[in-house]
Amino acid sequence: MIEALDHVKNQPGFAEATVVVYLVMHGGCLPTLPNYPTDGKVHAGIEICAEDNKELPSDDRDWKDYIMYDYELKEMLDGFNPAKFLFITVACESGVMAGQDTAGAFAGASDSLFDSLGAPGRIVITGSTTPLMTSGDVLGHGFWEKGIKEGRGDTAPTGNGDGETSVEEAFYYCKSLANADGTETASSQPCMNDQYEGEMIL
């Protein structure tokens, strides 16, 4: 992933580019793993599966699982500043990455306890917050298909009706859905950290 980000960053025109990173994977926020950080903060992790690059591609290739935490992603994305950057992760209990966490809020934790991936000029969206689960349909249908592609995010009450659907409008449209078409959007509580000036149009 570091190599991929560096490759994109080193392309001509990167400073004026629009970059979207969309990750759909397993995730968690509770300290159930032996390598869970003990720095007093609430952390979220996503499961990265990587192939062993020392072997030729095959169905029997060795796949390795690794839990990548928010602070590791934050370090990777440091200095990754195209003109427009949208980072989305559809993973259970991943709200910490957007600086939001339901379980932490109930326990009195504040945003300062989360290693958010948010940064100026960037929008971070997560599929759910702790202790809630999510699925690919939440953002796949609610955000991308209905909110962006069909333009429903631009309609009232979440949009301004200007004929263009922004990332922000699509997000709020997605968040407003209540188990539409079997997609449990509202009960997953998607989160957004928006530090992009104005509305982001992809």
Side-chain angles (χ1 to χ4, degrees), residues 105-128:
F106 287 153
S110 65
D111 284 4
S112 62
L113 294 179
F114 311 142
D115 270 331
S116 168
L117 305 183
R122 181 184 302 173
I123 295 179
V124 178
I125 294 176
T126 66
S128 69

Side-chain angles (χ1 to χ4, degrees), residues 166-182:
S166 67
V167 169
E168 294 88 341
E169 288 174 327
F171 170 80
Y172 287 117
Y173 172 80
C174 171
K175 195 174 177 71
S176 72
L177 295 178
N179 305 329
D181 299 332

Side-chain angles (χ1 to χ4, degrees), residues 29 36 40-43 96 99-114 130:
C29 187
Y36 189 87
K41 291 187 176 183
V42 180
H43 291 284
V96 171
Q100 301 177 41
D101 176 70
T102 302
F106 287 153
S110 65
D111 284 4
S112 62
L113 294 179
F114 311 142
T130 307

Side-chain angles (χ1 to χ4, degrees), residues 15-180:
E16 293 78 38
T18 296
V19 178
V20 177
V21 174
Y22 186 62
L23 303 175
V24 182
M25 55 195 58
H26 294 298
C29 187
L30 302 179
T32 56
L33 299 171
N35 61 334
Y36 189 87
T38 56
D39 56 3
K41 291 187 176 183
V42 180
H43 291 284
I46 55 177
E47 184 178 12
I48 301 292
C49 296
E51 293 180 285
D52 189 339
N53 59 12
K54 296 180 181 178
E55 298 180 14
L56 294 175
S58 72
D59 292 338
D60 298 325
R61 197 168 180 176
D62 185 22
W63 287 80
K64 301 181 184 300
D65 291 353
Y66 176 76
I67 300 299
M68 182 180 294
Y69 285 104
D70 44 43
Y71 63 90
E72 294 174 300
L73 277 167
K74 182 178 181 179
E75 183 177 349
M76 287 183 189
L77 297 175
D78 183 42
F80 191 85
N81 301 313
K84 297 179 183 179
F85 182 27
L86 172 60
F87 181 94
I88 298 179
T89 177
V90 183
C92 295
E93 303 183 344
S94 56
V96 171
M97 296 190 179
Q100 301 177 41
D101 176 70
T102 302
F106 287 153
S110 65
D111 284 4
S112 62
L113 294 179
F114 311 142
D115 270 331
S116 168
L117 305 183
R122 181 184 302 173
I123 295 179
V124 178
I125 294 176
T126 66
S128 69
T129 181
T130 307
L132 304 175
M133 304 294 107
T134 189
S135 70
D137 285 347
V138 170
L139 293 176
H141 287 174
F143 177 82
W144 288 115
E145 184 176 339
K146 296 179 180 179
I148 294 284
K149 183 179 179 180
E150 297 179 9
R152 298 190 193 184
D154 188 45
T155 60
T158 61
N160 57 20
D162 63 357
E164 292 185 303
T165 302
S166 67
V167 169
E168 294 88 341
E169 288 174 327
F171 170 80
Y172 287 117
Y173 172 80
C174 171
K175 195 174 177 71
S176 72
L177 295 178
N179 305 329

